[in-house]
Amino acid sequence: MPDSNRHAESAWSYHDATRHSYASIRANPHSLDFANQPLPFKIYPTLAPSRLPGELRQTGVAALSAIAESVPFGTNSAPGLRSVAQLLYLSAGITRQRKYPGGEIYFRAAACTGALYEVELYLVCGDLADLQAGVYHFAAAEFGLRRLRAGDYRSVLVEATGSEPAITHAPLIIVCTCTYWRNAWKYQARTYRHFGWDNGTLLANLLSVAAALGLPARVVCGFVDATVNRLLDVDSQREVAFSLVALGHGSDPPPLCLREVSPLGLETVPLSRHEVDYPIMREMHAASSLQSPAEVATWHGRGSPTNLSPPDGPVVQLQPLSDAEMPRDPIEQVILRRGSSRQFARTPISMAQFSTILDRTTRGTPADFLDPIGSQLNQMYLIVHAVEGLDPGAYVFHRDSGAIECLKRGNFRDQAGYLGLEQQLPADAAVDVFFLAGLQPIFEQFGSRGYRAVQLEAGILGGKLYLAAYAQQLGATGLTFYDDEVIRFFSPHAAGKSAIFLVAVGNSVKQKHWLEPVAP
Ligand SMILES: Cc1cc2nc3c(=O)[nH]c(=O)nc-3n(C[C@H](O)[C@H](O)[C@H](O)COP(=O)(O)O)c2cc1C
């Protein structure tokens, strides 16, 4: 299927088939089969994990700085084992647990739809301090690493990414994969959208921790899928590489890997007694797969996406806190404090808190599909319910001028609850942030793979929103939505766009000790 990525029909078919509407939700007979619930972890029973160091380093870097900044590419640095442990724990480690009559839920550092944790992490590294070169799987349950291959395989990823410069010079590359069934058990075919969201919230944490540790980091979405999947030896009918993150920088490219990337044939514990397949997700994935380093190189050269046209309605200038004024709660503390709000109080947040959240979240994400850094595929549309000094209403955020444009004034709490799949959370929040994108220009620029990128970016921005809220003692939660109703609500401004993701922010109603903290 050469160059299938260029044709976006499959991405449109997938997107259209997985829209939520009032009618589609009511017509869906799906119910949760708890007896067949998938395991939340990937386990290789024949490989013993080596435990990672458990002590968290206090970087002292303010979360509001860590989410907004990145270490310039080219700064020489390599993580050692302790930094690796810190990166893994604060992005995908078990941070809290909750017992319930049927068992236990292990909550992880980043938010994830349904707490189903379909994202797995793998390390591909050269020799690092206290960690030998190899390909490793992060065993979240044991907080350890299982070595799948010994030796330096980074050049396989250099080739797979068409010699992407950050990958070429990275001492460590983290590969994020997504497992269909782990999430589809609950969300069925809509799971492919969740891959981007859930991988994205995880990456928001990972990028922030990397910045706090002084490591350059870059998200890479363009790679030859089959080569990466083969290196990890995943069964790509079930689990697929979704994003890579280059971490650190060394002057020399890795030595050419002369070993054969042979199948490993390692046993893994079945996730469930049986799995249900949703073929449109695999079709979506195949259609957005890149086949050769040459195709990847062209994909990388696509340039920056389109931006918003200048405001033509009333504009309110944001008033974010400066570095000197902002809360300085460190990133480690904020990640451990984070947990999705289960209920919001209908109390206002301040204009400074609101402005700081938007400002810090959108200072730029280093990624191969966002060139120059700071460009965005998603635009942020807002329903403001309770921000001091701001009329309640619908707005759109203009990042370039640090301002919001009013689209319509009014109290839209009921509509927001409806748009967020008839849930109470978006009705009670102080502000709902909707991520909307023009899919057509994105597909023209990036082919079907643009669909992965736009979902992933929304997840990263959403994850940063979470952290910006919790850094200021506020709460947040990701939410799902009625696709077309969202666009109708924000139209005519949003006409022609698609709803990608939603995050609500506000003052959480404190829950009574329903979660126990877990140390690494
Ligand atoms: C992309 C995304 C969508 C979510 N959608 C909803 C939702 O529609 N309703 C809800 O109550 N929680 C939603 N959540 C919150 C998750 O249920 C929550 O992240 C998960 O249970 C893990 O708990 P934690 O975030 O407190 O660690 C969503 C989270 C994410 C990341």
Side-chain angles (χ1 to χ4, degrees), residues 96 107 111-113 117 197 338-340 342 423 478-480 501:
R96 293 156 297 137
F107 288 92
C112 180
T113 45
Y117 305 111
W197 304 351
R338 192 211 61 80
S340 299
R342 264 67 189 178
Q423 298 182 79
L479 290 163
T480 194
F501 185 33

Side-chain angles (χ1 to χ4, degrees), residues 271-293:
L271 295 181
S272 288
R273 272 187 286 115
H274 65 94
E275 299 186 5
V276 181
D277 184 28
Y278 296 91
I280 58 167
M281 293 200 281
R282 286 185 294 98
E283 284 158 23
M284 168 68 225
H285 191 75
S288 58
S289 290
L290 303 176
Q291 315 291 332
S292 66

Side-chain angles (χ1 to χ4, degrees), residues 347-370:
T347 50
I349 65 172
S350 72
M351 182 66 173
Q353 286 172 321
F354 168 72
S355 305
T356 303
I357 288 173
L358 292 184
D359 169 41
R360 297 277 160 170
T361 299
T362 56
R363 294 240 187 136
T365 297
D368 63 343
F369 55 89
L370 297 172

Side-chain angles (χ1 to χ4, degrees), residues 118-314:
E118 73 275 14
V119 183
E120 298 286 339
L121 300 185
Y122 297 81
L123 273 50
V124 179
C125 62
D127 279 329
L128 303 175
D130 301 320
L131 186 65
Q132 286 175 351
V135 178
Y136 297 86
H137 173 250
F138 172 50
E142 296 94 346
F143 193 56
L145 294 177
R146 286 189 166 92
R147 190 160 74 177
L148 307 181
R149 298 184 194 272
D152 192 343
Y153 284 86
R154 287 174 298 158
S155 67
V156 176
L157 297 183
V158 173
E159 198 203 331
T161 58
S163 302
E164 202 284 331
I167 297 281
T168 303
H169 291 277
L172 165 68
I173 299 137
I174 292 186
V175 184
C176 307
T177 68
C178 297
T179 303
Y180 294 104
W181 172 242
R182 180 110 36 77
N183 194 272
W185 169 73
K186 180 168 182 183
Y187 297 104
Q188 302 173 280
R190 202 161 151 105
T191 281
Y192 200 82
R193 299 186 185 209
H194 296 198
F195 281 3
W197 304 351
D198 295 332
N199 191 176
T201 56
L202 185 155
L203 290 183
N205 285 22
L206 186 63
L207 294 173
S208 307
V209 175
L213 291 171
L215 292 169
R218 183 170 167 89
V219 177
V220 174
C221 218
F223 52 86
V224 180
D225 296 78
T227 308
V228 177
N229 290 333
R230 196 176 319 119
L231 179 64
L232 307 179
D233 199 33
V234 292
D235 171 0
S236 61
Q237 297 299 301
R238 295 193 160 82
E239 178 185 358
V240 286
F242 202 82
S243 68
L244 317 184
V245 187
L247 287 151
H249 183 91
S251 30
D252 296 327
L256 202 62
C257 175
L258 299 174
R259 295 176 197 83
E260 207 190 321
V261 180
S262 46
L264 294 168
L266 289 166
E267 187 188 332
T268 58
V269 177
L271 295 181
S272 288
R273 272 187 286 115
H274 65 94
E275 299 186 5
V276 181
D277 184 28
Y278 296 91
I280 58 167
M281 293 200 281
R282 286 185 294 98
E283 284 158 23
M284 168 68 225
H285 191 75
S288 58
S289 290
L290 303 176
Q291 315 291 332
S292 66
E295 192 185 359
V296 170
T298 325
W299 193 84
H300 279 142
R302 297 279 162 96
S304 58
T306 50
N307 266 324
L308 272 184
S309 43
D312 58 6

Side-chain angles (χ1 to χ4, degrees), residues 341-346 506-512:
S341 301
R342 264 67 189 178
Q343 191 185 348
F344 287 115
R346 290 195 173 197
N507 291 295
S508 296
V509 174
K510 296 270 177 297
Q511 311 282 331
K512 268 195 261 155

